[in-house]
Amino acid sequence: MATIKDVAARAGLSTTTVSIIINGKAAEKSIPQTTVDKVHKAMQELNYRPDQYARRLRTGSVRKPVIGFFWPLDHRTNLIGTLVTAMEKCFIDHSYDVDLRIESFTPGALDRHAQSILGGLYDGIIIGATSSVDTAFINSMASTTPVVLFNRASTLHSCVRVDNRMLGLQAASLIRRKGYTECCVIKNEGRYLAMSERTKFFIEACQSLGIGILDEWIFEGPGTQKGGADAALEFVRLSDRPRVIFCEDDFMAQGALVTLHDNGIRVPDDVELLAFGMQSNDNMNYLIPSITTVSLPYMKMMESCVEILMDSIADSSLPPRTQMVAPEVMIRKSFSI
């Protein structure tokens, strides 16, 4: 097994310099990025892991393992509370005594956190909601720290995700099952990787099931309640409206619900509405009417991320794992079966 001296020899540096970099203190000590990159390359070539990664991570460890949770800094920060709750529940259920630290990042700029990810600051890392650029970056990085991706695909790192094609098909099948042959779509104008893919598969599934979606029936807005409310105004202005609205996420669906109500359009009497679910069930249950969703089971997904991560930290020889989690259909009053 490689040692820190081996890394220093491979990089042509002193063990002190290598130690500083591995412990994430390079910026503090004004060590150039070229030197940091040299050490990271040597660590990857030698498959070097600091001793801390091989320790058993249950109560009674010499020190608490430090877990990093990376999540983008945008409107999806609304989900952090739900996800951290799921993580804490898993830590308690499995008697993991850990130090959890949350790091936000700008979408498309995860590479700015390369030193945190590679530099030994964390014993294990969970990364979620990455853009296509961020996903490409993390999938090109052979980190010596165990990494689990939340709802993203990877062959290099472990991941827990849903089948976006299945999500799209399930939503389209609900609409066809009611006998509808036309549908309006309210979608996020941002290019979030998973959202765009889910909606693409939904539209493809509608086409295959004989559900028409005209270009003039697709409305975009920011992925917020206001974005959904503004997009729904375009629906209100249609002279010949479809009888069902599909929203790319339930944040936008909440806003759409308000606009429809303000314009005298009754849900579900005049138009039915369903969405991909992003929030907790309580958020959708206590609305008038409650919103039907095809949801990502975030609690289950995050619990699986934690279990895989802790296993990988305890046994560094484990290969990357991919775990698929089935979506959940939550029928409520806005769209009934």
Side-chain angles (χ1 to χ4, degrees), residues 82-102:
T82 299
L83 298 176
V84 170
T85 297
M87 296 173 78
E88 292 291 352
K89 179 180 182 301
C90 194
F91 293 145
I92 292 170
D93 289 347
H94 293 274
S95 298
Y96 296 132
D97 187 15
V98 305
D99 182 0
L100 176 63
R101 300 180 186 178
I102 299 171

Side-chain angles (χ1 to χ4, degrees), residues 34 43 53 67 99 156 167 182 214 216 234 241 307:
T34 52
M43 290 168 66
Y53 296 133
I67 305 300
D99 182 0
L156 190 61
L167 274 170
E182 297 177 338
L214 302 181
E216 55 265 35
E234 300 300 317
R241 306 185 192 109
E307 290 170 0

Side-chain angles (χ1 to χ4, degrees), residues 167 170-175 180 183-186 202 244-250 253 267 271-277 290-294 329-332 334-337:
L167 274 170
Q170 285 188 323
S173 297
L174 288 175
I175 294 171
Y180 292 120
C183 178
C184 166
V185 175
I186 292 178
F202 167 75
V244 62
I245 299 174
F246 169 78
C247 293
E248 189 171 66
D249 69 58
D250 47 14
V267 179
V271 63
E272 296 198 74
L273 182 147
L274 72 161
F276 283 139
S290 54
I291 296 177
T292 292
T293 57
V294 180
V329 177
M330 307 297 292
I331 302 297
R332 301 186 179 93
S334 72
F335 185 102
S336 59
I337 295 296

